[in-house]
Amino acid sequence: MLKSAMRTIALAAAVSGIAFAAQAKNPMVGGAPMYPTKNIVENAVHSKDHTTLVAAVKAAGLVSTLEGKGPFTVFAPTNEAFAALPAGTVDTLLKPENKAKLTKVLTCHVIAADAMSKTVAKMIKDDGGEHDIKTVGGCIIKAKESMGKITLTDENGGVAHVTIADVKQSNGVIHVIDKVLLPKM
């Protein structure tokens, strides 16, 4: 009976260890754990580094879309990335009369696929060092890889670096980036 109880405890510990190890593989973003069982919006609202992005998604009316089935890949600019835009840009984009422009900017950060970094790196390699990615917003982002890091160049020549890759979500993946990707307007 004691052996049976010990086996049960050992099995329970092993199972919980496996669950913890699986959960620990998803990176923390903005000081918050990102859960692969939650959708993009459910996770993003907890990242202190993405409050501007969350406010913009709400202002553009994209919450229900990014809570949807997907799959989506979101290149998620940090608050610092938004702050680096010219003074007043974010405030202007968040105004109701600029909803279409804001939506265009945000959807140029979204791909209608689940593109993990290994997949993107393979596409870059297969295309000879640069791969064009078409976004939901119709923008073309040029992806490149250098020393194991992926960069994204927007339609205006601005370059964003992926700082945290492969943040799994229930409806896709987030890659944190350090610059806002801007479409040609």
Side-chain angles (χ1 to χ4, degrees):
M1 175 111 152
L2 184 56
K3 278 186 178 182
S4 177
M6 293 299 280
R7 278 191 212 130
T8 302
I9 292 170
L11 179 62
V15 169
S16 66
I18 290 168
F20 179 76
Q23 183 180 15
K25 289 183 183 179
N26 222 25
M28 299 273 286
V29 176
M34 298 288 115
Y35 299 103
T37 56
K38 292 187 177 188
N39 68 47
I40 290 165
V41 175
E42 289 172 328
N43 274 320
V45 298
H46 296 291
S47 169
K48 67 177 174 47
D49 292 343
H50 290 91
T51 56
T52 305
L53 177 61
V54 169
V57 166
K58 288 177 181 176
L62 294 172
V63 171
S64 61
T65 300
L66 293 175
E67 287 179 330
K69 184 178 178 183
F72 302 109
T73 296
V74 175
F75 297 108
T78 61
N79 294 341
E80 287 182 7
F82 280 102
L85 291 171
T89 301
V90 174
D91 291 336
T92 299
L93 285 171
L94 291 175
K95 291 180 179 176
E97 63 268 22
N98 294 320
K99 184 177 178 179
K101 285 182 183 178
L102 177 61
T103 300
K104 177 73 171 178
V105 169
L106 293 175
T107 57
C108 284
H109 290 80
V110 181
I111 304 168
D114 189 345
M116 300 296 282
S117 62
K118 283 184 180 182
T119 303
V120 175
K122 182 178 180 336
M123 290 187 282
I124 293 168
K125 184 179 178 186
D126 291 349
D127 285 353
E130 182 176 279
H131 178 72
D132 287 352
I133 299 172
K134 185 166 183 170
T135 68
V136 171
C139 300
I140 302 295
I141 298 170
K142 296 191 176 296
K144 296 180 184 176
E145 182 184 17
S146 176
M147 295 188 281
K149 299 286 184 181
I150 293 175
T151 62
L152 306 166
T153 303
D154 67 21
E155 295 177 334
N156 299 294
V159 179
H161 300 85
V162 175
T163 58
I164 302 174
D166 300 333
V167 185
K168 296 175 189 170
Q169 315 289 300
S170 65
N171 60 344
V173 62
I174 289 175
H175 301 290
V176 177
I177 58 174
D178 63 356
K179 184 170 177 63
V180 177
L181 302 168
L182 297 172
K184 284 204 178 214
M185 293 215 195

